[in-house]
Amino acid sequence: MTVVTPETNQHGAKAHSDGGWDAPEGAYVPVQTRSARFKSNDPSEHPAVDGREAEWKLTPVPFVRELIDGELDGSPYAFLATQTEGADAEWIDRTDARIGVAGQAEEKSSANAWNSFEKAMSITVTGEEPSEITVSRSMLGTTARGAHTVITGTRHSRGRVILQNTGDARLVENVEIVVEDGAHLTVVSVQEWSDDALHLATHFVTVGRDATFRHVVVTLGGKVVRVNPSVALAGEGADGELFGLYFADAGQHLEQRVYMHHEGANTKGRVNYKGALQGEGAHTVWVGDVLIGPNAAGTDSYEQNRNLVLSEGTRADSIPNLEIETGEILGAGHASATGRFDDEQLFYLQARGITEQEARRLVVLGFLTEIIQKIGKPELEQRLQASIDDELNRSAAGTGGGAK
């Protein structure tokens, strides 16, 4: 076996051909498993981003350069919170013990946000009676901003947290989510930004023993939006469900890189993301990583991504990955598919007197509604369905444009 060093690498190169030229000392060796990626909350310890890295090569880096390594405004921002008893939101200091529990930055943009925020928003769900809180942000403006949020579902609590994003934004943020033992927590993140908004987000999640976590990401608006959930099913019997829906219009780049790490025994994981694309230059990226660790005996895991292409000139990148480090599992699998309308479905509907335009609308709504229904809040589900319907109607009328 040949040991590869900087001096003996292929073609005389000083680093691996996939990148790593500016990596910290010793980090030039290719990462062998997903959990071994370099982590640091200090942006200076991350190599410079030039867009050729595996984590960035599908992202339009020039558009989000200021968020990756530029100066960020980390001051608290205006938000609106509506909640029931058992849920609350407040600002906490950087030194609070709740910060840093769920994860560490694996990307320079995430580290830049971590290094920049002055105070973190803390959202806490307590009590065994179901509770709910919606935090709305609509006045972030066009200044590059770094933010940090900590969401805690306390032991045996039950609740739902909705993060609603609208308006202008140049935002990079980290969201830490801690689901303590026996808790049942749903977190919904809705991106309905204005057409020129930029948003990079990493959601770090740790799920405790016999806890249940549901994560739903809905992205309809924004120029470049990248939301990356990283979920550790840490406790024995932990259950994680990750759902996503995205609808990209002309010129939009919507990206999600999903990582589910089965750490504890007898854990169950499900990942299901669906997207639709229409208009020249619409681009979506989905990368799904599932890692079943050596101590995760009895794991049951499955991930899938489906994309529906509605017009010419679009691009959907879909990359599922599965790593298994123990043979004692119940099952594991992954799937990915990207395609156009099912002609048989359209024929079936048109044969019953439905116009082609209406038939296409019904097929798209039926395709995406499965994800919307995972939210569990009827008023929000109906509003999102109406937003998608409006997108389809405006497209049929030839107006195009991003989600409003």
Side-chain angles (χ1 to χ4, degrees), residues 137-158:
R137 302 181 293 186
S138 61
M139 297 183 290
L140 296 183
T142 57
T143 300
R145 179 179 291 277
H148 200 99
T149 301
V150 177
I151 301 173
T152 306
T154 61
R155 185 179 175 89
H156 297 304
S157 63
R158 295 176 177 269

Side-chain angles (χ1 to χ4, degrees), residues 237-308:
D239 190 314
E241 294 182 311
L242 311 183
F243 299 102
L245 180 156
Y246 46 94
F247 195 129
D249 277 312
Q252 279 187 300
H253 178 95
L254 307 181
E255 182 170 345
Q256 35 273 307
R257 293 172 178 265
V258 185
Y259 173 38
M260 177 175 283
H261 186 184
H262 293 266
E263 295 181 356
N266 302 314
T267 54
K268 180 181 179 181
R270 293 291 184 270
V271 178
N272 187 8
Y273 272 61
K274 287 189 172 185
L277 303 86
Q278 67 179 8
E280 187 69 29
H283 185 197
T284 64
V285 176
W286 180 86
V287 179
D289 291 325
V290 172
L291 171 60
I292 300 174
N295 299 318
T299 287
D300 180 6
S301 186
Y302 191 80
E303 65 168 345
Q304 68 173 355
N305 175 229
R306 299 284 188 267
N307 296 293
L308 186 58

Side-chain angles (χ1 to χ4, degrees), residues 345-400:
Q345 287 182 321
L346 293 178
F347 177 79
Y348 177 85
L349 294 170
Q350 289 180 268
R352 281 149 181 79
I354 299 174
T355 65
E356 180 180 356
Q357 178 180 331
E358 179 66 10
R360 289 177 177 272
R361 171 183 165 276
L362 291 174
V363 170
V364 174
L365 286 176
F367 176 72
L368 298 177
T369 295
E370 176 191 2
I371 304 299
I372 293 177
Q373 290 176 339
K374 301 298 183 180
I375 294 173
K377 185 178 177 65
E379 309 95 290
L380 179 56
E381 292 175 358
Q382 292 169 10
R383 185 175 65 75
L384 292 174
Q385 286 179 324
S387 295
I388 295 171
D389 202 10
D390 181 61
E391 285 291 324
L392 294 169
N393 289 334
R394 290 194 298 115
S395 174
T399 57

Side-chain angles (χ1 to χ4, degrees), residues 35-178:
S35 60
R37 288 188 181 179
F38 177 73
K39 301 177 180 66
S40 173
N41 296 332
D42 184 349
S44 68
E45 295 183 357
H46 288 265
V49 175
D50 61 19
R52 291 178 294 177
E53 300 82 3
E55 294 78 15
W56 292 103
K57 65 182 181 181
L58 298 175
T59 308
V61 168
F63 286 107
V64 294
R65 171 63 66 187
E66 61 181 339
L67 301 181
I68 295 173
D69 50 27
E71 184 175 349
L72 304 174
D73 178 1
S75 60
Y77 49 81
F79 68 92
L80 175 65
T82 57
Q83 69 264 10
T84 62
E85 184 177 356
D88 198 13
E90 61 177 340
W91 291 109
I92 60 175
D93 293 330
R94 289 182 60 94
T95 56
D96 193 285
R98 287 168 286 185
I99 295 174
V101 172
Q104 283 184 291
E106 294 183 1
E107 299 172 350
K108 193 175 184 69
S109 60
S110 177
N112 196 23
W114 206 301
N115 188 60
S116 301
F117 76 92
E118 297 175 6
K119 288 182 177 291
M121 179 187 295
S122 174
I123 302 171
T124 306
V125 174
T126 60
E128 297 186 17
E129 293 297 321
S131 59
E132 179 178 291
I133 182 169
T134 298
V135 175
S136 301
R137 302 181 293 186
S138 61
M139 297 183 290
L140 296 183
T142 57
T143 300
R145 179 179 291 277
H148 200 99
T149 301
V150 177
I151 301 173
T152 306
T154 61
R155 185 179 175 89
H156 297 304
S157 63
R158 295 176 177 269
R160 177 168 52 233
V161 176
I162 299 172
L163 306 176
Q164 177 68 56
N165 299 307
T166 58
D168 293 326
R170 299 287 189 275
L171 176 66
V172 54
E173 65 176 341
N174 295 298
V175 179
E176 294 190 75
I177 304 171
V178 177

